[in-house]
Amino acid sequence: MPLTPARAAAFTLCATTPDDPLARPLLEELAHEYLTRYGDASDLKRFPAGEFAPPHGAFLLLLEDGVPVAGGAYRRHGPDTAELKRIWTHSAHRRRGLARRVLAALEADAAARGYTRLYLTTGPRQPEARGLYLATGYRPLFDVTADPESIGPLPFEKHLETPEP
């Protein structure tokens, strides 16, 4: 019996809004994760959806064969700074480099809109996120040797290169 070669997944990026029904499964799972780790998911409702829309923000979904598997967003944080938010990979699709894809897409989009710096915070009970940001060139704005629980939200920054015209 001949073996059939595995078909490569088709990935696409979709610019949308947090209100899009396509984003609902990811955001619901993120809310559950926040509730499980912190007992509170109110941060997901702290900013209006419009803050994640052009021209000052973006909300991106990574789709695999049309199904959302990861996503992330940014909003204006200052004249030259965008704040990354909601970077998330669905639990069934982790350990595949999808968050890195989303992060790279958000960085490129923010740079194309003229931002030169990215800022973000992640929770002290999210070592996976901390590891991702350290591995992708984000500078911790906290003492990395301290107990994360003693710090609270862990701030990071990254300076972006301006894209060539």
Side-chain angles (χ1 to χ4, degrees):
M1 176 181 232
L3 294 175
T4 307
R7 184 185 67 75
F11 287 102
T12 55
L13 276 169
C14 172
T16 186
T17 68
D19 298 336
D20 185 333
L22 197 58
R24 188 172 299 127
L26 283 178
L27 293 176
E28 286 175 353
E29 191 183 45
L30 179 57
H32 176 74
E33 189 77 16
Y34 283 179
L35 282 170
T36 302
R37 291 188 191 207
Y38 301 105
D40 182 24
S42 62
D43 184 64
L44 290 174
K45 298 191 185 305
R46 188 162 50 148
F47 303 106
E51 289 197 26
F52 301 106
H56 300 298
F59 186 90
L60 303 177
L61 292 176
L62 180 64
L63 308 178
E64 181 178 21
D65 297 325
V67 177
V69 294
Y74 69 84
R75 60 186 283 276
R76 184 181 180 92
H77 189 69
D80 300 320
T81 302
E83 180 183 18
L84 296 176
K85 303 292 286 177
R86 322 262 187 277
I87 297 171
W88 185 251
T89 300
H90 188 282
S91 60
H93 299 279
R94 294 192 180 140
R95 311 296 307 160
R96 298 173 55 202
L98 303 180
R100 283 179 185 255
R101 282 183 186 226
V102 170
L103 193 54
L106 291 168
E107 290 173 359
D109 192 84
R113 292 188 193 278
Y115 290 110
T116 57
R117 178 178 174 260
L118 292 175
Y119 171 81
L120 67 93
T121 59
T122 192
R125 297 179 189 162
Q126 293 170 260
E128 312 88 349
R130 176 183 168 162
L132 171 67
Y133 302 128
L134 289 171
T136 54
Y138 283 78
R139 185 172 74 90
L141 301 175
F142 60 93
D143 180 356
V144 295
T145 64
D147 174 9
E149 290 285 334
S150 71
I151 299 169
L154 307 177
F156 290 85
E157 73 173 355
K158 184 175 189 178
H159 292 274
L160 300 173
E161 294 187 27
T162 307
E164 297 286 324

